[in-house]
Amino acid sequence: MKLIDRNNLAEKATRTFPGAAYYSDEQFQRELERIWFKKWLCAGRLEEVPKVGDYIVRQIGDESLLFVRGQDGDVHGFYNTCRHRGSRMCLSASGHLRGGTVTCPYHSWKYSMDDGHLLSAPNFPDNLEGFDRTQFPLMSFKTKVWQGFIWCSLDTEESAEDEISQLPAELGYYEKYHLAELKPGKVLTYEVNANWKLIMENSVECYHCTTIHPQLSRATPPDNAWWWNDEAPSESDFLDVGGMTLAENFERASLTGIATRPQFAEITDDDARAVYYFSVLPHTLFGLAADYVFCFSLWPVSAQKTKVLAYWLADPDLLNQDGILDDAFEFWDITNKQDWTAIELAQQGVKSRAFAGGGVIGLDDWLVGKFVEYIKKSLSE
Ligand code: FES
Ligand SMILES: [Fe+2]
């Protein structure tokens, strides 16, 4: 692991995107095509669809995506759109499909939830001229499981790799947190009135921590930050954001700092005194603490509105105790809301003519510059 001392960063300011990149609908459409419909995205946890027929729905812009636990035990991804005359299929954010099928609420076309093929289309006889039922399955997309999370890629190009090549096969230093074996104790969706890039930019820097996060800063003082990966994330979608050390009088990353849960079995005592952060670009952040993991994924609704899907994961054996994760949840819920307030103010400001040329990035927010590079490179591919 390469430690980068703050004092060894290249002393060179870089620029943010121009203001319009944070609110223009054209830019948003370009990002959908070149980033969101290309990259592997983190759709949720396997525990959200535990039983055959369980489903969750995710939305990117106008695109609605259905993830179903099939009868083969795998999670299958389908566009949530009927092939007859286009109706949305599943209307809830999550639910359960019975009998291995998914039925359209408009004219009752029925599809297999395993492979999407059209099972029945009332009053569409097989010999109807111009109609071949095999040509109208639910459209599918690729899904994978990585570290207990469900991932998807909407990329249909022949050259698109079936593997999540951007992600390391192993998590290296972080493997000992055994993310796949944890379970969500809490899942929450936030709505933020801001462009998704402003949220990602905020998530990779702690320059703002002293100003807006008194609780977080008491637990992990911003002066205790370090970074250890100066390789350009544009080469990969895995961004090692860095770590923060707990304040001396804190045993845990929480409001009180009091240890109420054991630390993860395989981490070192030094690890237990840190919170490590990494990001799988374009849209996730993972924070690994001594005894829980906080993570989120972003789901852009429009150029100026984003949903944030947040998870608090812990050892499943602990989760049958009522309120066992409350301290971790409250700690991050307070911190998240402080972030959303600041980011929404930024969203308002970037629309000013005064910001048309963009802003500037310095030493303490240098990773924002890496994110900007990554997006620029992705857009030009
Ligand atoms: S639009 Fe789905 S059955 Fe008609
Ligand atoms: Fe923050």
Side-chain angles (χ1 to χ4, degrees):
M1 183 160 25
K2 182 175 178 189
L3 288 172
I4 300 173
D5 189 280
R6 182 187 178 287
N7 300 321
N8 289 330
L9 293 172
E11 293 198 10
K12 183 165 167 259
T14 55
R15 301 302 302 266
T16 71
F17 290 102
Y22 299 104
Y23 62 84
S24 122
D25 292 332
E26 293 79 48
Q27 165 97 8
F28 183 66
Q29 285 306 322
R30 244 190 338 270
E31 290 169 356
L32 291 185
E33 296 298 335
R34 305 249 168 111
I35 297 171
W36 292 89
F37 300 158
K38 291 266 182 224
K39 302 284 189 183
W40 281 94
L41 303 173
C42 180
R45 284 289 298 188
L46 279 175
E47 295 85 4
E48 291 178 274
V49 286
K51 296 191 298 296
V52 170
D54 288 348
Y55 72 82
I56 49 175
V57 170
R58 299 287 180 255
Q59 183 109 9
I60 305 172
D62 292 328
E63 208 60 86
S64 178
L65 308 173
L66 179 62
F67 300 84
V68 194
R69 176 83 72 161
Q71 302 185 91
D72 55 4
D74 290 339
V75 178
H76 306 281
F78 300 107
Y79 288 88
N80 191 16
T81 290
C82 181
R83 298 296 306 284
H84 173 224
R85 297 223 318 272
S87 174
R88 274 277 181 279
M89 302 285 298
C90 294
L91 310 181
S92 315
S94 64
H96 181 77
L97 299 169
R98 288 176 205 292
T101 63
V102 46
T103 303
C104 178
Y106 198 177
H107 314 89
S108 294
W109 278 31
K110 192 182 279 190
Y111 303 86
S112 157
M113 69 177 198
D114 288 307
D115 60 9
H117 80 269
L118 180 59
L119 290 165
S120 71
N123 299 334
F124 264 69
D126 273 338
N127 59 359
L128 181 65
E129 196 185 327
F131 174 64
D132 174 355
R133 67 175 60 237
T134 66
Q135 297 304 301
F136 294 94
L138 281 185
M139 299 286 275
S140 63
F141 52 82
K142 286 174 288 205
T143 57
K144 287 275 175 195
V145 175
W146 185 77
Q147 300 291 337
F149 292 88
I150 302 161
W151 296 75
C152 70
S153 168
L154 307 188
D155 194 358
T156 52
E157 278 180 24
E158 283 295 306
S159 62
E161 295 178 50
D162 276 341
E163 298 305 316
I164 308 180
S165 57
Q166 302 97 320
L167 301 177
E170 308 262 302
L171 261 176
Y173 193 77
Y174 306 125
E175 201 67 30
K176 56 193 167 189
Y177 287 84
H178 296 285
L179 296 186
E181 287 155 34
L182 306 182
K183 285 206 169 14
K186 184 89 184 166
V187 181
L188 194 65
T189 303
Y190 299 96
E191 284 201 12
V192 186
N193 287 313
N195 183 269
W196 68 276
K197 297 191 297 301
L198 288 180
I199 305 176
M200 282 310 291
E201 290 175 4
N202 177 79
S203 76
V204 299
E205 55 97 347
C206 206
Y207 187 29
H208 66 274
C209 291
T210 314
T211 319
I212 71 166
H213 294 316
Q215 295 83 358
L216 178 68
S217 298
R218 267 199 293 280
T220 53
D223 289 348
N224 290 3
W226 72 91
W227 299 274
W228 55 66
N229 185 349
D230 73 342
E231 281 153 30
S234 52
E235 300 309 316
S236 144
D237 294 321
F238 187 83
L239 174 60
D240 208 339
V241 176
M244 308 277 293
T245 311
L246 289 176
E248 270 177 25
N249 53 339
F250 274 67
E251 296 175 294
R252 291 289 188 266
S254 68
L255 290 177
T256 62
I258 297 168
T260 57
R261 294 171 297 269
Q263 68 191 55
F264 291 127
E266 287 181 26
I267 65 173
T268 67
D269 288 343
D270 279 349
D271 294 330
R273 295 211 46 77
V275 183
Y276 299 126
Y277 297 93
F278 67 81
S279 179
V280 180
L281 298 175
H283 79 145
T284 70
L285 181 76
F286 296 79
L288 313 179
D291 54 346
Y292 69 89
V293 169
F294 167 70
C295 59
F296 68 65
S297 60
L298 305 183
W299 296 88
V301 177
S302 64
Q304 299 188 58
K305 191 189 264 292
T306 307
K307 283 189 180 170
V308 183
L309 193 52
Y311 295 81
W312 286 259
L313 308 174
D315 181 338
D317 291 341
L318 294 173
L319 291 175
N320 48 21
Q321 299 174 44
D322 256 5
I324 187 71
L325 261 186
D326 282 0
D327 60 336
F329 167 68
E330 281 162 22
F331 181 63
W332 280 106
D333 189 48
I334 288 170
T335 304
N336 291 338
K337 286 171 179 160
Q338 291 161 344
D339 278 325
W340 313 153
T341 301
I343 293 165
E344 287 179 348
L345 288 177
Q347 181 66 39
Q348 291 169 33
V350 297
K351 290 189 277 185
S352 164
R353 294 195 294 168
F355 200 79
V360 63
I361 300 158
L363 290 180
D364 283 341
D365 50 359
W366 72 288
L367 272 179
V368 175
K370 296 293 183 187
F371 174 74
V372 169
E373 268 174 41
Y374 167 89
I375 296 298
K376 281 187 181 162
K377 179 160 185 282
S378 302
L379 287 175
S380 67
E381 274 166 1

